Amino acid sequence: MNHIIFFLSLFLLPSLNLKSQSNTYASEELEIINLINRHRSSIGKKALKIDSYLSRIAYRHSKNMAYKRIQFGHFEMRKRLKKIINRYEHFNSYAENVATKQKTPREVVESWLNSPTHRENIEGNYNFCGISIVCNPQGQKFYTHIFVNGTP
């Protein structure tokens, strides 16, 4: 059943650009998670589990950047962090990576791995993550990947 929902979401989401607020992920979002988890595995780290709540927070941030409600970057991080702390029973740490100039999931992950700060987030002691890609009307993609160490 999940495969059917995922398959249908590939065709129902406009150009795979806007992730719905549901638990359905676009193929590019899943590819980013897979690439990051492969990298984590190669250095002896456990795979990140996708948390739909974190992905909804990532979606709002990507959408706000894509539609210029906020500047590109980590603006309003405290608001996101507060929501996460309220949701997670045992919260230890939080990080996020954002990107916008890259066209493919591989380019995004490679650019993050080539940046010491972003690489530290990818390789950090996290167990959950949220992911979102939003494309603005001009075709520019905005990526947000949230990392959390805690228990929801």
Side-chain angles (χ1 to χ4, degrees), residues 94-105:
Y94 166 89
E96 70 180 19
N97 288 346
V98 296
T100 191
K101 304 265 185 214
Q102 299 77 4
K103 304 251 188 268
T104 68

Side-chain angles (χ1 to χ4, degrees), residues 3-150:
H3 295 304
I4 293 170
I5 292 170
F6 177 71
F7 180 77
L8 289 173
S9 73
L10 293 177
F11 295 100
L12 296 177
L13 291 173
S15 305
L16 298 178
N17 294 335
L18 296 176
K19 189 177 84 55
S20 71
Q21 294 277 332
S22 72
N23 293 344
T24 304
Y25 295 90
S27 64
E28 289 184 340
E29 292 166 334
L30 293 175
E31 186 176 348
I32 289 171
I33 298 299
N34 288 334
L35 290 167
I36 286 175
N37 278 337
R38 263 189 262 159
H39 174 77
R40 287 175 60 87
S41 176
S42 76
I43 60 168
K45 296 280 186 173
K46 290 184 179 180
L48 298 168
K49 298 174 202 146
I50 300 176
D51 179 335
S52 61
Y53 181 78
L54 296 177
S55 292
R56 286 192 300 275
I57 292 172
Y59 170 80
R60 284 186 216 110
H61 186 58
S62 291
K63 187 174 180 182
N64 285 338
M65 290 187 296
Y67 289 88
K68 299 185 183 205
R69 294 179 188 135
I70 60 171
Q71 293 179 352
F72 172 78
H74 302 285
F75 292 91
E76 299 183 347
M77 184 188 263
R78 288 182 187 199
K79 287 182 182 178
R80 291 186 296 286
L81 183 56
K82 186 177 179 182
K83 289 177 184 178
I84 292 166
I85 290 171
N86 289 335
R87 161 85 167 176
Y88 273 70
E89 187 175 332
H90 301 286
F91 174 83
N92 297 313
S93 55
Y94 166 89
E96 70 180 19
N97 288 346
V98 296
T100 191
K101 304 265 185 214
Q102 299 77 4
K103 304 251 188 268
T104 68
R106 186 167 301 282
E107 287 177 17
V108 171
V109 173
E110 286 175 2
S111 70
W112 285 338
L113 289 172
N114 288 326
S115 161
T117 307
H118 294 98
R119 182 183 199 100
E120 185 178 317
N121 292 343
I122 290 170
E123 296 177 353
N125 187 27
Y126 301 106
N127 54 348
F128 288 97
C129 71
I131 185 74
S132 181
I133 305 168
V134 173
C135 189
N136 69 13
Q138 295 75 35
Q140 183 177 6
K141 293 178 184 177
F142 290 80
Y143 305 82
T144 301
H145 191 194
I146 294 175
F147 305 84
V148 169
N149 181 332

